[in-house]
Each structure stands twice: as C-alpha cells, then as structure tokens.
Amino acid sequence: NAGVTQTPKFQVLKTGQSMTLQCAQDMNHNSMYWYRQDPGMGLRLIYYSASEGTTDKGEVPNGYNVSRLNKREFSLRLESAAPSQTSVYFCASRRGQVNTEAFFGQGTRLTVV
Amino acid sequence: GENVEQHPSTLSVQEGDSAVIKCTYSDSASNYFPWYKQELGKRPQLIIDIRSNVGEKKDQRIAVTLNKTAKHFSLHITETQPEDSAVYFCAASIRIQGAQKLVFGQGTRLTINP
C-alpha cells in the first residue's frame, strides 16, 4: 500500500495562475482532508470530505475549491493564486466512521511569486 | 466551531528530563484527541491518541492525559532523547453532520539538548 500520495511535491506559481493539487489514498478511507501549514500556525483545515460526493469548509477555505472525484481522490484547486497562499499543503485521510488515525501525504511546498 | 490552543510554542529540555505539552479545546462534543510528531521536512505521524471515555493512556515513554471537565489534554514525554526533537501537534476530533472534523493546535517545537 502506498498510503496517501500527493502531487506535485514542489510548485512555483505566478500570482493569478491556477493549479490543482492532487491527492489519492489506497486505504479505502471515507474521510479526506486538506490542510495548510504555515510557521507558527500549525495545521489549518482548508476543506474536508466525509465521503464521496460530499465536501465541507474548514477554517480557511477562501481562495480554494475542492473536488472529491471518487472515494480515492480528493483534489484542491487554486483558481487565482496569491502570495498569501504560499505554504506547505498536506492531504490526509481517515476511516471516518470511527475515531482513528489520520494518515498524511508527503506534502506539497507551494510558492506564489 | 472547534478551536484548539497549544502551549508552549517552543520547549527546550535537557536530555533525560521530562517534557510536557498542553492543549485546550473549545467544543465539549470533541471525542478523540490524537498527538502527532513531525520531523523536519517530513509528514506528521501519529504517536499516541486518547478517546473521551479514557482519562490517561501510556505507551512506553509517552503518556497522554485528558480532563474532559476542563477541556484540557496533555502530552508527557519522560526520559527524553535527542530523537524526540521535533514539532508536536495536538488535535481534537468532532463529529459534525456525519463527518469527523479534525482540528489541530499550533504546534510545539521541542528541542532536546544533549
């Protein structure tokens, strides 16, 4: 099992450009999450998905959209990137129905110039 | 919504001493409290967790305590070693409309001095 796989690992964007961060898990998990990590601010929840076909906003959803394409995949889209979106992005998944461990992807380091 | 506060933001201890990190949460419906360790450049990984029906859990040198009344939980690391140096995150999980929302604290950078 690969666990949670994110692509790309690194990305540099110009202000105003768009891009999609991809995330896939092979653990048959129901819940998936997108977080951003900034120095001194911990892991802040952007969006989450309890199951295929459902998505909900987290703490910092502005400027982002998500798609739960199927049970395996949960993508994060930046429609018009801004320097404030420079961060490390982590995708995570959990079984969902019961309280269990969240497994994280390796992260995407995004720089917006 | 759920809010998790974590203290201290940085902690430096001598090798062999104990380290304690504290978290408070806002929503009394929270029912699961994991702790994650993140080494430099790596992804966060679970080190211990506790559910709301338990007051304390221990795994070798690591223990977690939970006070539901005070909405407070803590991570205790005893006999610290250099490999314990990392950033530690607490989190709280709350069920909202069928979804388990997982909210993290701000993190504690722990440094073990030899």
Side-chain angles (χ1 to χ4, degrees), chain A residues 33 35 37 42-43 48 50 90 94 96-97 99-102 104-106, chain B residues 31-32 36 38 43-44 46 51 89 93 95 99-102 104-106:
Chain A
Y33 307 81
Y35 293 91
Q37 183 174 28
L43 292 156
Y48 63 106
F90 284 99
R94 299 169 78 192
Q97 295 304 312
N99 278 315
T100 56
E101 176 180 0
F104 284 82
Q106 73 271 39
Chain B
N31 52 15
Y32 173 69
Y36 285 79
Q38 185 181 30
R43 72 192 77 187
L46 182 76
R51 289 169 174 76
F89 293 98
S93 182
R95 191 176 183 88
Q100 289 287 355
K101 185 177 175 182
L102 191 60
F104 285 81
Q106 297 88 340

Side-chain angles (χ1 to χ4, degrees), chain A residues 34-93:
Chain A
W34 276 105
Y35 293 91
R36 59 178 288 174
Q37 183 174 28
D38 303 293
M41 304 196 73
L43 292 156
R44 291 185 293 169
L45 183 63
I46 305 171
Y47 271 94
Y48 63 106
S49 170
S51 61
E52 181 181 350
T54 68
T55 60
D56 289 282
K57 294 179 180 179
E59 304 164 81
V60 288
N62 291 346
Y64 305 96
N65 284 300
V66 290
S67 294
R68 183 72 182 268
L69 304 170
N70 46 56
K71 193 171 186 179
R72 291 187 64 248
E73 298 171 292
F74 188 38
S75 61
L76 179 71
R77 182 159 178 85
L78 287 70
E79 290 291 352
S80 179
S84 60
Q85 293 178 304
T86 293
S87 188
V88 179
Y89 291 85
F90 284 99
C91 175
S93 72

